[in-house]
Structure formats: structure tokens, C-alpha cells
């Protein structure tokens, strides 16, 4: 995000290699999104406003481009993500572990919910 906001067009003039680790094309459109959720490749959640608690979203609610403005700003997730990057592990709000998916969203919800009560 910060790179995109820098407006430096040369940053994106680079070669990339992408390895496909899970090809879901065989599932077709009917089963694709349920398989994505089963594999924890997508987190379907949205907010009506910055302070509203999240609600379930549909795949059609996801951004349709990679432009930063296409993505929803989630200040609670940002706060939770920031808290997980404290250098001293004993002072961190939480630590991300393998096979725990979307932990920053879960903590963001907890912080948001605490401000509502």
C-alpha cells in the first residue's frame, strides 16, 4: 500500500515470478468460493462504516482491481496488525501462528467490539 501511495511508477517496473500452489479452476464458478473458504484463502467480511461491527460479505463485495482505493480501510485490523509487530514478544497483543487464519481480523473485531460495549 505504501509503495502505491508513493506514486513512484518505476517501483512497479520489475519482473516477478508467481508459482501457482493451488489451481482451483476445475471447481467452476459454483464451487469455487466455497472451496476458497474451506481452504482459508478468502475472508468474506465487510463493514458498513469504520466503527460498525463486521458482517458477512459475498464474493461480489471483494475488490475488482488491485488499486488501493478498491480496498476497504479497516482501522481495527490495522490497529491489531500494528500491535502484533511490537519487537518485544512479551508485550505483543498476540502472536500469529501457523494454521491460524485471519488472526488480525479476529483481534480487530475484539477491539472494535470492546469499544461498542
Amino acid at each position: 500500500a505504501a509503495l502505491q501511495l508513493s506514486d513512484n511508477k518505476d517501483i512497479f517496473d520489475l519482473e516477478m515470478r508467481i508459482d501457482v500452489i493451488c489451481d482451483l479452476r476445475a471447481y467452476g464458478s459454483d464451487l469455487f468460493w466455497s472451496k476458497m473458504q474451506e481452504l482459508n484463502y478468502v475472508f468474506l467480511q465487510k463493514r458498513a462504516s469504520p466503527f460498525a461491527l463486521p458482517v458477512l460479505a459475498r464474493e461480489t463485495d471483494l475488490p475488482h482491481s488491485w488499486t488501493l482505493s478498491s480496498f476497504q480501510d479497516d482501522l481495527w485490523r490495522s490497529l491489531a496488525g500494528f500491535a502484533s509487530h511490537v519487537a518485544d514478544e512479551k508485550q505483543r497483543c498476540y502472536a500469529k501462528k501457523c494454521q491460524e487464519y485471519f488472526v488480525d481480523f479476529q483481534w480487530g473485531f475484539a477491539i472494535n467490539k470492546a469499544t461498542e460495549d
Side-chain angles (χ1 to χ4, degrees):
L3 292 176
Q4 189 176 44
L5 290 174
S6 74
D7 203 30
N8 183 345
K9 306 294 185 214
D10 294 332
I11 290 174
F12 298 102
D13 186 23
L14 54 98
E15 290 185 27
M16 268 187 193
R17 176 184 167 167
I18 298 175
D19 293 323
V20 176
I21 58 169
C22 187
D23 187 349
L24 301 179
R25 288 179 291 182
Y27 286 94
S29 58
D30 292 339
L31 299 175
F32 176 80
W33 287 105
S34 59
K35 190 65 175 175
M36 288 284 287
Q37 286 181 293
E38 177 187 326
L39 295 170
N40 293 301
Y41 289 169
V42 66
F43 188 65
L44 296 175
Q45 180 184 84
K46 65 179 180 177
R47 294 176 185 270
S49 69
F51 291 93
L53 292 175
V55 295
L56 290 177
R58 298 182 315 266
E59 60 274 1
T60 55
D61 295 322
L62 293 173
H64 296 281
S65 78
W66 290 106
T67 306
L68 186 60
S69 60
S70 298
F71 292 82
Q72 187 176 37
D73 185 15
D74 188 328
L75 62 100
W76 305 105
R77 178 183 177 232
S78 297
L79 179 60
F82 178 78
S84 73
H85 290 88
V86 173
D88 183 354
E89 289 186 16
K90 293 178 183 177
Q91 293 184 358
R92 286 186 189 167
C93 179
Y94 66 93
K96 294 181 184 180
K97 299 178 183 175
C98 292
Q99 304 303 315
E100 288 185 21
Y101 303 99
F102 310 109
V103 174
D104 44 347
F105 282 103
Q106 295 173 33
W107 273 99
F109 174 84
I111 297 166
N112 185 190
K113 179 71 174 151
T115 66
E116 298 290 314
D117 293 339

